[in-house]
Amino acid sequence: MGMLMIAAAVAALAAGEPPVAVTPAKAATSETGVIAYPASFFAEASPSTAYDMVIRVPGFSFEKGTVVRGLAGSGGNVLIDGEPAVAKNDALDEILRRIPAGAVAHVDLIRGGAPGIDMQGRTVVVNVVRKSTAGFRGATTTGAYAVYDGRILGSFRAEGQWRWAGGRSAEASIILGYGPDDQLGDGQRIRTAANGSTLILSDVDADGKGLKQWTTGAYETPLAGGKLRLNAAYMLTPYSAEITDRFRFPGGKEYQYDTMDRLQAEVGGRFTRHLTPRLDVEAVAFQQWNNNNTKSRFEGVNLVRQFEGDRKTTESVGRGHVRFAQSPALTWEFGGEGAYNKLDNTTTLFQNAVKVRLPAASVLVTEKRGELFATATWRPSEAISAEAGLRQERSTIVSEGDVLLEKQLQFTKPRIAVTWSATPTTQLRVRVEREVGQLNFDDFVAPSSVANTGTVIAGNPDLSPQQAWVVEAAIEQRFWNNGAAILTLRHYELTDVIDRAPIFGPGGSVADAPGNIGEGTKDELQASLSLPLDRFRIPAGQLKAQAVWRRSEVTDPLTLQPRQISGLRHMEWDLHFSQDLPRWKSNWGIDVNKGGSNANDAYGWRDRAFRLSEIETRKLDPWVTLFGEYKPKPDLSVRLELMNLTERSAQRTREVYAGPRDRSALLYTDVRDLRWGRMWNLRIRKSF
């Protein structure tokens, strides 16, 4: 559907007037590939926060970053005053929502790089530049979900920003509120044998909710001829879920109750100084703590399983960075990063009061990792820029407890990216890079899903990072006044692919766990479109759409036949329409796949996991939201959302075999289909 709408829009463009130069409302192009959007560009939309401004930048798709250890590669694609946020648990979108729109001077779209800007390995970023005006700005937001099952879940947030003469500033925020788990709802479950006979037919009643208790703060001040910024976050996120299966056939019921108590805390600091007009230095320090206690109890017919996982992780990171502008055309960057990570995990599983042995149930894993890097950015002309870099990474991983091992890893990661602005409206970007993924600590321990499925999924600390040679090419075409179309193609040559693999234990026991399964390939095609709708007689309207297709292939370690990579989503797409109505001090729109209330699963998708004796397929249908916002006064906004118009389905299909699936017959297929109904979300924001 997403691709059809993009294609239709492109066809409409072809039938209309020819493209013209990019001239957003008083936009300024100060450097090659840099477009500055002043605050007046967003005025008709009456944005409340910097986030509202960023998502309206033509030709830009917001990414809040990835969860990795260390700072390199963890940030999203938005900078604040030219610098990435020194935060991880405090997500980038939350940071941007705490910046009032009135505090933003302009928003820069940087394509291909700009002097003095660390692109963080990306080819396109946005830079939010704040005003330096002294004073105070704050806001409170009160909201509530009215869930289809009768629950009313309220929330409250408050934030403030202070600026004083001399370059000092402070920020603080607090969030307190409940949110529903929109992947749990009411539905049916059916289990059929290989011959088609019905084994189980049940009605499912499931619901879950989480609580946010988040406090964040930051302070910035001149220091020793430079600038020091400190930030901290303390975040409690308890969660609970209840699932009841009432059997129509053969009778009886199954019941599951899950809880998760999660504490996340972090502190970070960045010091920057201009030593000379051409030489800058930067030092960054970061520390985080994550404590996660998970409990799950499953009660079935003559069966009780109890699972508990207690996981504690810490991370300490230090980073230094030097930037030297040899000339207006050539800039050098050098630096290094060191990190110490620790995982302390204990997992227990009881079945009918008998303890079940889980591989890697109790482990203590430490990782020492260091990286040196050098980058050169060269601009031989106004139309061409090139970036070449080299990173050298070395790490030592030690595991104690159930798994004893010590391993050293070393990787060389070259990168080259070239940007060519062929015309004022056409840009080509090419990148070749060796990417090395990080080991996911979640793969080291058993997950809580073992409690309700009965499938023993083990942890495995003895993994090597997945590596890939990546070739990427993108073409960007800007048209009309604020339109942009981007087509990107990526090819990955993979080694040490991390997927599901059999793990052999004492006495010939076999468990399913993450493992390195060899080589593979992955291809991605991404298309995005920002389309102003004035020429389609929709004044102040905008359509933004994006679609990503993926194709992958690896050799299954059991069947030795080619298949897709587990957990890789074949297609994701999203569509956003909005229209500003300045006369009525309002705006409205429709978001398709703009996340549910559960922000961890933002898009409709489908993926498969190939395990030892099971193939699991998960499917999440699109999420559609109709919204309207009214601003009776500049400092007051009321937003009402009707969420999940399609009453989406969250489906899980388990194809379970009698033994290892390469040599065993299919035992049964279990399909659980849960539907989440429509709900309302009301938010009232008061700025002061």
Side-chain angles (χ1 to χ4, degrees):
M1 180 178 177
M3 185 54 187
L4 292 176
M5 302 193 77
I6 293 176
V10 172
L13 291 175
E17 298 179 21
V20 296
V22 179
T23 54
K26 299 182 180 179
T29 306
S30 58
E31 302 287 348
T32 300
V34 180
I35 303 175
Y37 294 92
S40 58
F41 176 84
F42 308 95
E44 282 190 332
S46 298
S48 298
T49 68
Y51 178 79
D52 299 332
M53 303 168 79
V54 165
I55 62 175
R56 285 178 169 267
V57 173
F60 179 74
S61 297
F62 174 75
E63 298 175 11
K64 66 179 181 180
T66 57
V67 180
V68 296
R69 296 184 303 284
L71 297 175
S74 65
N77 58 355
V78 177
L79 309 177
I80 301 172
D81 294 330
E83 299 173 342
V86 186
K88 290 189 176 182
N89 302 304
D90 190 11
L92 181 58
D93 56 336
E94 289 290 341
I95 294 173
L96 293 171
R97 286 188 174 100
R98 293 199 298 267
I99 301 175
V104 177
H106 56 90
V107 178
D108 297 341
L109 177 64
I110 304 173
R111 302 136 62 226
I117 296 295
D118 183 1
M119 299 291 287
Q120 297 285 295
R122 300 178 181 271
T123 55
V124 177
V125 299
V126 152
N127 182 27
V128 175
V129 181
R130 294 178 292 182
K131 298 176 182 177
S132 57
T133 308
F136 169 75
R137 296 178 185 270
T140 60
T141 303
T142 303
Y145 289 105
V147 187
Y148 73 99
D149 57 11
R151 287 179 292 167
I152 303 294
L153 304 176
S155 64
F156 173 80
R157 64 185 295 162
E159 60 239 10
Q161 297 195 344
W162 297 260
R163 279 190 175 273
W164 299 277
R168 292 185 302 125
S169 66
E171 305 167 17
S173 75
I174 183 171
I175 299 176
L176 178 64
Y178 285 97
D181 186 343
D182 51 60
Q183 288 192 39
L184 295 180
D186 301 328
Q188 288 189 340
R189 174 181 164 216
I190 183 170
R191 177 180 292 184
T192 56
N195 61 9
S197 61
T198 300
L199 300 176
I200 292 175
L201 177 61
S202 71
D203 295 314
V204 182
D205 179 9
D207 61 73
K209 66 179 180 180
L211 173 64
K212 287 184 178 180
Q213 296 172 294
W214 294 359
T215 304
T216 62
Y219 180 71
E220 190 172 295
T221 183
L223 179 69
K227 181 177 67 175
L228 174 66
R229 179 177 176 84
L230 304 172
N231 60 273
Y234 187 83
M235 311 167 80
L236 292 169
T237 316
Y239 168 86
S240 63
E242 194 172 26
I243 304 173
T244 303
D245 273 5
R246 294 182 174 88
F247 295 166
R248 299 186 199 172
F249 176 83
K253 73 173 186 178
E254 292 180 350
Y255 174 79
Q256 180 181 341
Y257 184 69
D258 299 332
T259 62
M260 180 177 68
D261 293 320
R262 187 172 189 182
L263 165 64
Q264 300 164 285
E266 63 183 31
V267 293
R270 173 190 284 112
F271 175 76
T272 56
R273 183 178 176 184
H274 303 292
L275 296 179
T276 72
R278 297 194 296 169
L279 182 63
D280 301 336
V281 295
E282 176 185 86
V284 178
F286 179 78
Q287 176 71 43
Q288 71 163 326
W289 301 264
N290 278 277
N291 297 343
N292 196 339
N293 183 263
T294 303
K295 296 180 181 179
S296 181
R297 179 179 175 86
F298 175 85
E299 300 175 2
V301 179
N302 300 320
L303 177 64
V304 176
R305 294 194 196 97
Q306 289 181 287
F307 173 92
E308 182 170 356
D310 186 11
R311 185 179 66 178
K312 297 180 175 65
T313 61
T314 59
E315 178 181 35
S316 308
V317 186
R319 179 182 174 89
H321 187 192
V322 177
R323 182 183 293 112
F324 175 66
Q326 182 174 328
S327 70
L330 181 61
T331 301
W332 298 90
E333 298 180 44
F334 306 93
E337 178 175 301
Y340 177 77
N341 300 282
K342 182 179 178 181
L343 164 69
D344 187 356
N345 181 84
T346 302
T347 302
T348 57
L349 174 66
F350 287 88
Q351 182 165 306
N352 291 338
V354 178
K355 189 173 184 179
V356 178
R357 185 184 183 279
L358 294 174
S362 179
V363 293
L364 175 64
V365 181
T366 58
E367 177 191 45
K368 297 178 182 178
R369 185 174 57 83
E371 181 179 82
L372 298 175
F373 61 88
T375 304
T377 303
W378 180 44
R379 294 181 172 275
S381 71
E382 285 296 313
I384 298 176
S385 67
E387 178 185 299
L390 183 66
R391 295 174 180 269
Q392 185 67 36
E393 175 187 323
R394 183 182 179 89
S395 63
T396 300
I397 297 177
V398 177
S399 175
E400 303 175 16
D402 290 350
V403 179
L404 301 176
L405 67 86
E406 180 174 345
K407 62 193 304 183
Q408 292 188 340
L409 302 168
Q410 184 168 303
F411 302 99
T412 302
K413 300 179 287 187
R415 179 181 190 271
I416 184 167
V418 178
T419 300
W420 176 38
S421 298
T423 72
T425 58
T426 304
Q427 189 178 82
L428 302 175
R429 299 186 286 266
V430 178
R431 173 177 68 100
V432 179
E433 183 174 3
R434 189 191 186 204
E435 295 182 351
V436 178
Q438 283 199 0
L439 295 176
N440 187 345
F441 274 5
D442 288 343
D443 290 337
F444 291 4
V445 298
S448 60
S449 60
V450 66
N452 63 328
T453 65
T455 302
V456 177
I457 303 175
N460 181 18
D462 191 11
L463 293 170
S464 294
Q466 180 173 291
Q467 304 125 58
W469 278 102
V470 185
V471 179
E472 175 184 282
I475 179 169
E476 175 182 312
Q477 180 64 52
R478 293 190 165 255
F479 53 86
W480 299 349
N481 198 32
N482 303 316
I486 306 171
L487 189 67
T488 305
L489 179 64
R490 303 182 188 92
H491 175 71
Y492 297 76
E493 288 290 333
L494 305 170
T495 56
D496 285 334
V497 174
I498 295 179
D499 205 303
R500 315 306 301 185
I503 301 296
F504 298 94
S509 62
V510 184
D512 177 57
N516 296 113
I517 65 170
E519 299 179 347
T521 61
K522 182 174 70 171
D523 296 292
E524 293 182 349
L525 176 63
Q526 179 175 330
S528 63
L529 176 70
S530 296
L531 180 65
L533 299 175
D534 300 78
R535 303 193 184 199
F536 298 90
R537 299 182 180 180
I538 304 177
Q542 184 189 53
L543 179 71
K544 296 189 76 170
Q546 178 172 270
V548 183
W549 297 262
R550 297 183 181 91
R551 180 182 64 186
S552 64
E553 184 176 298
V554 292
T555 299
D556 190 293
L558 287 175
T559 66
L560 303 182
Q561 298 298 313
R563 63 161 172 83
Q564 68 190 62
I565 296 175
S566 289
L568 193 69
R569 296 168 185 177
H570 173 68
M571 181 179 180
E572 294 177 300
W573 62 274
D574 59 285
L575 177 70
H576 313 290
F577 164 78
S578 62
Q579 184 183 21
D580 303 320
L581 306 171
R583 182 182 302 178
W584 291 282
K585 301 178 182 179
S586 304
N587 64 74
W588 75 284
I590 299 175
D591 287 334
V592 183
N593 292 345
K594 180 60 177 178
S597 57
N598 181 358
N600 293 324
D601 293 289
Y603 306 103
W605 44 262
R606 179 180 182 274
D607 64 23
R608 307 188 80 190
F610 297 83
R611 301 195 173 103
L612 176 66
S613 58
E614 176 182 337
I615 299 176
E616 181 182 44
T617 304
R618 299 181 303 159
K619 180 182 178 183
L620 194 66
D621 285 346
W623 180 277
V624 181
T625 297
L626 173 66
F627 69 86
E629 188 168 12
Y630 175 53
K631 301 193 77 170
K633 297 189 296 183
D635 60 353
L636 179 65
S637 66
V638 180
R639 183 182 177 94
L640 182 63
E641 298 175 336
L642 176 55
M643 309 178 75
N644 195 24
L645 290 175
T646 56
E647 298 186 334
R648 77 171 179 190
S649 165
Q651 189 178 93
R652 184 193 69 185
T653 301
R654 299 176 57 220
E655 301 169 76
V656 179
Y657 293 79
R661 52 185 171 78
D662 60 324
R663 55 182 182 272
S664 303
L666 179 66
L667 195 60
Y668 61 82
T669 301
D670 190 286
V671 180
R672 189 182 73 181
D673 192 352
L674 303 182
R675 287 200 167 270
W676 180 264
R678 299 185 181 97
M679 67 180 183
W680 295 90
N681 184 23
L682 175 66
R683 296 201 300 270
I684 302 174
R685 178 183 173 92
K686 177 67 170 69
S687 303
F688 49 89

